Every structure is written in structure tokens, then in C-alpha cells.
Amino acid sequence: MTGKQRREQLIAIGRSLFAERGFEGTSVEEIAMRAGVSKPVVYEHFGGKEGLYAVVIDREMTRLEHTITEALRTGRSRARVEQAVIALLTYVEDETDGFQILVRDTQPGVGRGYSTLLNDAVAQVSHLLGHAFTRSGLDPDTAILYGQALVGMVSMTAQWWLDQRENDDAFSKETVAAHIVNLCWKGLGGMEKNPRLTSIDAPPVRLGSDKPPQPNAGTSTPGAADAASPTSANPEAAGPTSTNTTTK
């Protein structure tokens, strides 16, 4: 085995162990044992467990960062939302070990972590929302708030699905994506220009209605989701409907 092949073998073994046991629960001894080498070989390639962990994190970050960035790069607003959600869930499904490592707390000495990736995603989403808010007459300064909320919702749901999908009655990736997009898109489409908390005595609102939300008195400002598409009168122009969220 060449030095490069040995290095790749150790990275693969380390990735598996870090996902299974975490950084603290993984030892150089076990990494070396699984690779069939002595401990000095691990130290020679990475300087120790910390060095190997940093390489694994950097590779996973690069892979997922590229996936999300490409998903948000093109398409109309709804299509971008769908593509980003599907991209993250596909990564969870195909690269489960990598996702498990990323969502754990980053160890000291590791420059980038999952929180860094989320911050980058928030910046991209907020930029897109800012333009949509301006066109719709909404306050673009609040785009960062909504970007945080949307990215946080998608990220936390992906972490939940990571565990839930092992059950016999688990939701499929497409179903999870459809419901996430349903909440994101319908929420953006019904945004109010000046939102306020309701009174405790206010009548209950029935959920799941197809009836569009009524605008505030004296305003007719479209939601950000409508404004994000220049052909908002045609729902198909903004992207596929919520019953078919898988992008081709």
C-alpha cells in the first residue's frame, strides 16, 4: 500500500469511528488497530487524533458546502428552496457518517464546523430574501432574521430525520422535503408587512386551509414568495407545486 493509499485508509477509518463514538470516544490505538498498522503510522500522517479529525471535518465541510451552494445557485425562488432542502437531506441519507460528525460540537483547533456552514447558508438565503423583500415592499433589513429562521428550521429537521428515518414508519426524504418547503413557501407567501403578536383573546386560526391569508387592513402587499418571482400570478412559474418537490 502506498503512502497516499494508507492516508486515505486512515481517513476512512477515522471518519467511521468519529461518527460512531465521537472525538473523545475514539483513540489512536483503535484507529491503528483497525488499519492493521502501529500507532506511529497514524502520528506520521496526521500528528495525532486531532490532525486526523481536522482533515475529516474539512472534507465533510467542503463536500456539504459545495452541495448547498450549487443548490442555491440557480432557479426561481421556490425551486432554490426545494433544491437546497433536497440537497441537505440527500447528504444526510448518503453521507450519514459525515453528517453525524458535523453536527457534533467542533473540537478545539478545527477552524471550520457545521455552525460555520450554517452561517454561510444564512448569508446566501438572506441575500436572496433581501431582494425579494425590497420588491414586495417588505423591510429588507429583516431578511437576516428570516434567513436565520429558515436555515435553522431546515437544519434542525434534517438532524431529527437522521434519527427518525431508522424507524419502520419513517417519512421518506421526499415527504420530509415536501413538508419543509410547504411551511417555508406558504409562510413566505403570507407574510405581513407589519407583523404583530395576536391577542390572547383572538379567535383561533384554522390550520391547513387552502384559503390565502387576508392582508392587513389598508395594505395589499404581496408576500415575499410572490414577489420573488416575476410571474407570481402563475404558481408554476415559481417552481413545482408542493405535491412534487423533487427537482430534476
Side-chain angles (χ1 to χ4, degrees):
M1 183 178 292
T2 65
K4 182 177 179 180
Q5 290 172 331
R6 178 67 72 191
R7 179 181 175 85
E8 292 301 318
Q9 179 202 33
L10 292 172
I11 291 173
I13 291 172
R15 182 178 187 264
S16 177
L17 283 171
F18 290 139
E20 178 185 344
R21 302 184 181 181
F23 177 81
E24 295 298 337
T26 301
S27 67
V28 173
E29 287 85 352
E30 185 162 12
I31 295 171
M33 182 180 68
R34 288 200 182 186
V37 298
S38 61
K39 287 169 54 178
V41 174
V42 179
Y43 288 112
E44 177 186 348
H45 282 279
F46 305 101
K49 183 174 69 171
E50 293 79 6
L52 175 56
Y53 184 80
V55 171
V56 170
I57 287 289
D58 185 68
R59 285 194 175 192
E60 295 304 323
M61 282 287 296
T62 300
R63 180 184 290 114
L64 183 53
E65 190 173 44
H66 175 76
T67 298
I68 299 300
T69 299
E70 287 302 307
L72 290 170
R73 188 181 300 278
T74 59
R76 297 192 182 276
S77 299
R78 174 160 181 158
R80 294 190 192 195
V81 173
E82 293 179 349
Q83 289 163 186
V85 173
I86 283 290
L88 178 58
L89 294 180
T90 299
Y91 175 81
V92 173
E93 185 176 59
D94 295 344
E95 306 291 346
T96 303
D97 284 354
F99 187 71
Q100 286 179 324
I101 294 170
L102 287 181
V103 297
R104 290 194 173 101
D105 291 336
T106 303
Q107 298 299 313
V110 177
R112 300 190 304 162
Y114 190 56
S115 60
T116 306
L117 177 65
L118 294 183
N119 288 336
D120 291 343
V122 167
Q124 294 181 62
V125 171
S126 299
H127 177 74
L128 297 174
L129 290 178
H131 289 296
F133 284 11
T134 299
R135 290 195 297 269
S136 64
L138 300 170
D139 183 3
D141 290 340
T142 63
I144 183 66
L145 188 158
Y146 287 95
Q148 291 278 358
L150 290 175
V151 172
M153 175 178 66
V154 174
S155 173
M156 292 303 297
T157 305
Q159 292 183 51
W160 165 81
W161 186 63
L162 173 67
D163 298 322
Q164 192 270 343
R165 69 193 185 95
E166 300 298 328
N167 300 334
D168 294 335
D169 58 347
F171 295 112
S172 69
K173 175 177 65 180
E174 291 74 19
T175 298
V176 173
H179 285 283
I180 292 176
V181 174
N182 185 41
L183 179 56
C184 291
W185 194 251
K186 294 298 183 182
L188 289 173
M191 282 178 59
E192 299 173 341
K193 186 173 183 179
N194 298 299
R196 290 178 174 82
L197 297 178
T198 58
S199 167
I200 193 172
D201 298 322
V205 177
R206 182 167 67 88
L207 300 179
S209 172
D210 291 331
K211 183 179 179 181
Q214 297 300 312
N216 288 345
T219 65
S220 58
T221 305
D226 293 327
S229 171
T231 52
S232 58
N234 178 9
E236 291 298 324
T241 62
S242 60
T243 58
N244 180 18
T245 61
T246 345
T247 54
K248 302 294 184 184

